[in-house]
Amino acid sequence: MATRVRGVRAGKHGCFDRLVIDMSGGKQPPFSARYVKQIVADPSGKILKVRGKAKILIVVRGPAGKRYHANAVNLVNVSGFKTFRQVRGAGSFERVTSIGLGVRAKLAFRVFELGSSQAGWRIVIDVGQ
C-alpha cells in the first residue's frame, strides 16, 4: 500500500506549537521542512499568501489521500496559538504533497517522525515560542 497524507492537525504546548501530519501505512516517506521566503503552489507555481512573518515549507514524498484537502487555505484552525499563524495546503502533485506553515517569527524548530509502517506514520514539526 502506498503511503499517503491522511490529515494534518496542530496542538499547543507549554514551550512550542506542534504540527502533525498523519500518513497512512506503507513505508516511511522522505520529508523535509525549511524556512523559505514564500510558499509556492505545486504544480502551478503561484505564490500563496500565508499569514506570519516567517514561513516553513514542509514537503512529504507521498500523495494526498482522499480526505486530505491539498489546496485548503486553512488546513488547521490555529487561532489562539502563540507561534502558528496559518497552515495552508500548497498542493499535491506527482506523489509529493506540500504544506505552508506561517509562524510569528523565524524561530527554532525540529522535525521528526513517529510510528510504524503498520499503524501509519506521523511527521511532527515543533516550533518554539
Side-chain angles (χ1 to χ4, degrees):
M1 171 169 72
T3 304
R4 295 184 178 278
V5 176
R6 284 193 325 220
V8 179
R9 53 197 164 96
K12 296 184 270 187
H13 296 271
C15 298
F16 59 92
D17 286 348
R18 172 171 282 179
L19 187 74
V20 177
I21 303 166
D22 293 308
M23 308 291 295
S24 64
K27 63 181 193 173
Q28 176 187 356
F31 57 89
S32 65
R34 64 186 170 93
Y35 278 105
V36 295
K37 290 185 179 184
Q38 53 198 8
I39 301 296
V40 179
D42 189 17
S44 72
K46 177 183 173 186
I47 296 171
L48 301 175
K49 291 183 181 182
V50 178
R51 290 186 299 279
K53 291 187 178 179
K55 287 128 183 86
I56 298 173
L57 174 64
I58 303 154
V59 177
V60 180
R61 302 292 189 259
K66 292 179 182 178
R67 300 172 105 194
Y68 173 77
H69 303 287
N71 297 310
V73 173
N74 293 300
L75 282 173
V76 181
N77 180 0
V78 292
S79 60
F81 280 59
K82 289 183 179 179
T83 302
F84 292 171
R85 296 296 180 256
Q86 185 177 9
V87 182
R88 180 167 187 166
S92 187
F93 184 68
E94 293 186 348
R95 302 181 120 348
V96 175
T97 300
S98 302
I99 299 167
L101 174 59
V103 295
R104 67 175 176 80
K106 197 170 187 178
L107 301 162
F109 74 94
R110 67 181 181 159
V111 182
F112 58 97
E113 57 82 19
L114 294 171
S116 68
S117 61
Q118 286 144 3
W121 298 93
R122 290 172 290 175
I123 297 168
V124 180
I125 299 96
D126 290 339
V127 183
Q129 294 177 351

